[in-house]
Amino acid sequence: MLPDMNPADVIGSYREVVLPLYGLPPRRVLLVDREVAYPDGRLIVSVTDLRGVITHCNSAFVEMSGYPQETLIGAEHSILRHPDMPAIAFKGLWDDVQAGKIWHGYVKNLRRDGAFYWVYATVIPNVRAGKVQGYTSVRRKPARLKVAEAARLYAQLLAGEGGK
Amino acid sequence: MSASMNGVTSEKYQLTVSPDFPAKRMSSWFIFNTWLQKALGMPIHLELYPDFDSQRAAISADKVDIIYANPYDAAMLVREKGFVSVARPAGKCDECIVAVAAGSGAQVVEDLKPICRVARTDDPGVNLVGMILLEPASLGHDNTQILTVESYPLVAKALMRGEAEVGFFLAEAFDELSSLVRHQLRPLVHSQISDFSHVLLLGSRLAERREEVTRVLLDMPAEAKGQDVLAELGFAAWERVTQEDTEFMIDLMDTLKA
């Protein structure tokens, strides 16, 4: 279960949204209208178990998310879930990786301080001795043109889901 | 095929090194091979292939028993050829530099425009990461023009002559360019991935000696000769690599190839 975001962690004025999460209780998230630029040359890496619980994350993940590593390890990956991301995008991700396929997509992630950052993400199943034992996700710096396209598409999908 | 007596075999094994090593290290690998033969008490032939294609052909023909592999090839060696991981240089990671000529108008990657001419070697790992570093400029295989050259000094030359707008370098190779050449170039992006490194792998004929090979490599800094050999190779020690460490690196590489 993910704890609600803490107003003390948030920088600047924010708005509050209760975010429904698949398989988890809803989470109160605090949103600041500020984008943090993806750092040049870095890859954000994490590994999760089959349920999406983080088992490994690198220093770029820690820096960009704003959470300490000890908070991230053992937390559900949806700790980064931003309400501007439609549920159907993540359903597609899970459908693909659970079928043993690779998933790619542009993702808007939520930071601990309420700001956000965009990534181009790839998720692959980790196969050991013929069995999937978890998933590795690598995020890289996206092209702005693609981010703009994704933001428009996600807004349409959210409207279709009855979102904001 | 194997003629073993008291753990010492008369069979000759082949050691090879990923062709992306700096030219000035060529003699270092001969020195390392001499040391390794003595440490393991077995004959090993060092074969340095001039390019990735000829090395891959030798791997396909099962000629290679020990390889200092780049992370890209490690994926194929472990997953397809059953190689096992032994060790990697301690604290040394493979990074990529995307550079331009010093006088280029591009200050950040996003300043690069199609059709962008890219100078690079045939190093698959560096080329993969290099193309990823161009993605923020919406550059990919469909709107770049690739100029493949034989060495990193030739990548530098292509930039200085204006034959390419951007060049891909293994960071170690960029650092080893002469200062005269480096001053005529400017790094635009330096990858900070930290999870990729070359790795020493053993083929199936030596897999059962994995622990022994690992031990002699890890013990190198403890003796003067071992220290000298490491100094020649350009790092201070080897560190153990578990099979899972290598599998993880391969998973990362696979996400980038996908």
Side-chain angles (χ1 to χ4, degrees):
Chain A
M1 175 182 161
L2 289 170
D4 288 340
M5 285 176 68
N6 182 355
D9 295 331
V10 176
I11 301 166
S13 58
Y14 61 85
R15 68 188 171 94
E16 190 176 315
V17 172
V18 176
L19 179 66
L21 295 171
Y22 181 77
L24 292 171
R27 184 187 190 211
R28 186 180 69 141
V29 295
L30 310 175
L31 309 176
V32 176
D33 191 19
R34 178 170 62 90
E35 179 169 6
V36 175
Y38 193 106
D40 281 324
R42 306 288 295 271
L43 293 181
I44 297 173
V45 178
S46 59
V47 181
T48 70
D49 66 14
L50 293 171
R51 295 176 302 126
V53 172
I54 300 168
T55 56
H56 166 86
C57 59
N58 71 353
S59 59
F61 191 115
V62 171
E63 286 164 31
M64 283 303 281
S65 71
Y67 290 99
Q69 192 168 39
E70 53 270 27
T71 300
L72 294 167
I73 302 296
E76 286 83 2
H77 214 284
S78 44
I79 193 169
L80 302 180
R81 173 81 182 273
H82 195 287
D84 288 351
M85 287 298 299
I88 196 167
F90 293 106
K91 183 179 182 305
L93 184 163
W94 280 106
D95 286 349
D96 280 356
V97 296
Q98 285 176 344
K101 297 178 190 165
I102 294 169
W103 181 87
H104 302 275
Y106 293 87
V107 180
K108 184 176 184 177
N109 280 330
L110 176 61
R111 290 165 51 94
R112 183 191 192 189
D113 64 8
F116 64 89
Y117 58 100
W118 280 93
V119 299
Y120 177 63
T122 305
V123 185
I124 63 163
N126 305 136
V127 181
R128 303 287 184 271
K131 282 184 69 178
V132 176
Q133 66 167 32
Y135 306 103
T136 295
S137 174
V138 177
R139 275 77 88 199
R140 54 213 216 210
K141 188 174 187 178
R144 293 313 302 182
L145 206 63
K146 298 288 187 185
V147 167
E149 285 173 14
R152 276 196 299 274
L153 173 66
Y154 294 159
Q156 288 168 9
L157 291 171
L158 268 177
E161 287 174 4
K164 37 179 210 167
Chain B
M1 190 173 177
S2 172
S4 170
M5 193 181 292
N6 298 326
V8 178
T9 176
S10 61
E11 190 174 358
K12 196 151 194 167
Y13 297 98
Q14 186 183 112
L15 163 68
T16 189
V17 178
S18 175
D20 57 2
F21 67 89
K24 75 173 194 181
R25 300 266 181 231
M26 186 181 284
S27 63
S28 314
W29 286 104
F30 283 97
I31 294 166
F32 173 74
N33 186 43
T34 303
W35 177 88
L36 190 63
Q37 290 184 78
K38 200 172 166 192
L40 295 173
M42 64 184 194
I44 304 169
H45 167 68
L46 174 63
E47 184 74 40
L48 295 178
Y49 295 95
D51 51 49
F52 284 92
D53 284 344
S54 55
Q55 188 178 73
R56 287 210 187 96
I59 292 164
S60 293
D62 295 326
K63 289 180 180 170
V64 174
D65 299 296
I66 312 173
I67 181 167
Y68 182 64
N70 68 71
Y72 191 97
D73 286 341
M76 175 267 292
L77 288 158
V78 170
R79 295 262 166 96
E80 294 170 28
K81 300 297 287 183
F83 276 66
V84 295
S85 52
V86 174
R88 65 183 165 212
K92 193 171 172 182
C93 298
D94 287 357
E95 301 292 355
C96 171
I97 286 179
V98 172
V100 293
S104 164
Q107 300 301 316
V108 292
V109 163
E110 287 86 344
D111 290 338
L112 297 169
K113 303 288 176 219
I115 300 288
C116 183
R117 293 173 300 166
V118 178
R120 64 187 205 185
T121 66
D122 63 349
D123 187 325
V126 170
N127 293 342
L128 177 69
V129 174
M131 288 308 288
I132 284 166
L133 295 177
L134 294 186
E135 285 176 353
S138 296
L139 291 174
H141 292 287
D142 55 343
N143 57 4
T144 51
Q145 213 171 66
I146 304 298
L147 171 66
T148 302
V149 295
E150 282 181 8
S151 66
Y152 289 110
L154 291 178
V155 173
K157 202 169 174 181
L159 293 176
M160 293 185 295
R161 286 181 167 178
E163 292 164 359
E165 278 84 39
V166 68
F168 296 163
F169 295 87
L170 184 66
E172 186 184 5
F174 186 87
D175 293 341
E176 292 188 356
L177 294 171
S178 73
S179 61
L180 186 70
V181 171
R182 260 184 291 127
H183 279 106
Q184 295 179 70
L185 305 176
R186 176 161 43 84
L188 210 53
V189 200
H190 192 313
S191 75
Q192 299 170 65
I193 297 172
S194 307
D195 288 308
F196 294 130
S197 65
H198 278 54
V199 59
L200 195 90
L201 304 169
L202 299 179
S204 56
R205 292 200 304 158
L206 284 174
E208 65 182 25
R209 296 184 72 170
R210 181 187 201 172
E211 261 317 300
E212 181 191 0
V213 176
T214 306
R215 183 174 43 75
V216 299
L217 293 177
L218 298 187
D219 287 348
M220 282 179 82
E223 44 126 356
K225 182 62 188 166
Q227 289 170 16
D228 292 344
V229 174
L230 287 168
E232 284 283 338
L233 291 173
F235 47 91
W238 294 93
E239 67 183 14
R240 182 187 291 272
V241 180
T242 66
Q243 199 66 9
E244 182 52 33
D245 292 335
T246 306
E247 293 280 359
F248 173 65
M249 187 171 79
I250 294 169
D251 282 338
L252 291 190
M253 191 55 85
D254 283 347
T255 63
L256 301 184
K257 285 180 194 171

